[in-house]
Amino acid sequence: MRSPRTRAAVAGLAAGLCLAVGAQPIERVRLTDNDLGCQQIYGEIVQMDGLIAKAAAPTALPTAADPGAGQGAAVAGAVAQTALANVAARTGGFGGFGGLGNMFGNIAAQAAQQQATQQAVAQAGAQQQAQQGAQMAQQAQGRKEHLTGLFLSKGCKMGELQK
């Protein structure tokens, strides 16, 4: 039987693998690009704009300017919970009920430790997702630049697309 910590770690790894597998790279240049017409090129440019906007959408993650934002309070809370639970476990701090107090203290310590592990796994998954979003935006921007150059080199005009 696996411990709660092991199950949480395995779940975090599985989530990370799903994120990594789900992210498909965006090719900057495709062999079939010269076969695209002006309308098709413009359609792909609009699609790349959508991907860039999606990746740039605000998230609950800390910004690059302040990487520790929001994490300090969560870590401090988890540390405080664990410390209180450990003190209670060692001293029988649930009302001085002797062995029963120690049992409740141990349960509280395990619950606090499991919560801290789950928070760490969730933060790692969110950070990985943000990194993949930034990578996707960079790839989409490169594709958009290539398509824009192709659009202009073929002599495509926006006015002709709207007819």
Side-chain angles (χ1 to χ4, degrees):
M1 182 178 234
R2 293 185 179 164
S3 71
R5 183 186 306 185
T6 304
R7 284 188 295 234
V10 169
L13 288 174
L17 288 175
C18 290
L19 287 173
V21 169
Q24 296 293 324
I26 299 171
E27 297 174 337
R28 179 179 169 86
V29 179
R30 295 182 189 149
L31 294 175
T32 57
D33 283 348
N34 281 335
D35 297 334
L36 297 175
C38 293
Q39 185 69 41
Q40 293 169 317
I41 295 170
Y42 181 71
E44 282 204 39
I45 290 172
V46 170
Q47 188 179 21
M48 293 302 114
D49 281 338
L51 290 173
I52 293 166
K54 181 181 175 185
T59 62
L61 290 175
T63 62
D66 187 13
Q71 292 179 359
V75 171
V79 168
Q81 284 179 338
T82 303
L84 288 174
N86 285 338
V87 168
R90 288 188 185 115
T91 62
F94 282 92
F97 293 116
L100 190 59
N102 285 335
M103 182 181 74
F104 284 131
N106 289 335
I107 291 170
Q110 289 174 351
Q113 189 173 25
Q114 183 177 7
Q115 182 181 9
T117 302
Q118 288 173 349
Q119 286 176 347
V121 168
Q123 282 181 344
Q127 287 174 347
Q128 182 179 11
Q129 190 174 12
Q131 289 172 347
Q132 288 176 347
Q135 183 180 16
M136 182 180 69
Q138 184 179 17
Q139 291 172 353
Q141 183 64 38
R143 175 89 176 135
K144 179 184 173 186
E145 289 170 3
H146 166 70
L147 290 168
T148 301
L150 189 61
F151 185 87
L152 296 173
S153 71
K154 284 192 169 203
C156 300
K157 298 183 192 287
M158 288 298 295
E160 293 176 3
L161 292 178
Q162 297 172 353
K163 290 181 182 179

